[in-house]
């Protein structure tokens, strides 16, 4: 799941080397924290959060296939 979010994020931003993805797992819940360069925040979030919501939907599907629940937090650098 971490690799999925990392791949999508690096594809969207201008500075892919600044993308940082951390994964924390506790039981059946997985929390993914995404951090990108300040100037790339708009690209990752999208208008009205559409890109971020799409990434969350893909993450939920990937987690469900593994029998888990997942959440995505986008952190400010």
């Amino acid at each position: 799941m971490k690799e999925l979010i990392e791949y999508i994020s690096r594809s969207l931003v201008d500075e892919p080397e600044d993308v940082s993805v951390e994964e924390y797992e506790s039981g059946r819940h997985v929390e993914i924290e995404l951090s990108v360069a300040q100037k790339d925040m708009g690209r990752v979030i999208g208008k009205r959060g559409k890109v971020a919501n799409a990434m969350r939907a893909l993450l939920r599907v990937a987690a469900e296939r593994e029998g888990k629940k997942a959440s995505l937090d986008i952190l400010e650098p």
Side-chain angles (χ1 to χ4, degrees):
M1 288 181 276
K2 174 183 175 181
E3 295 81 16
L4 173 66
I5 297 301
E6 193 168 5
Y7 176 77
I8 294 169
S9 301
R10 287 184 191 273
S11 300
L12 291 171
V13 299
D14 286 334
E15 297 181 25
E17 64 277 355
D18 289 341
V19 172
S20 171
V21 180
E22 297 294 325
E23 181 177 72
Y24 303 101
E25 200 167 332
S26 82
R28 291 181 7 109
H29 184 75
V30 178
E31 183 176 337
I32 307 269
E33 291 182 350
L34 170 65
S35 179
V36 297
Q38 181 66 39
K39 72 178 196 171
D40 289 326
M41 287 294 286
R43 290 178 181 267
V44 172
I45 295 172
K47 287 185 179 178
R48 295 187 176 155
K50 287 186 178 184
V51 174
N53 287 335
M55 287 178 21
R56 287 184 178 110
L58 288 171
L59 182 62
R60 277 193 301 271
V61 170
E64 190 68 34
R65 293 182 89 182
E66 295 182 15
K68 299 180 180 183
K69 294 191 180 232
S71 62
L72 173 66
D73 295 326
I74 301 172
L75 306 175
E76 299 224 11

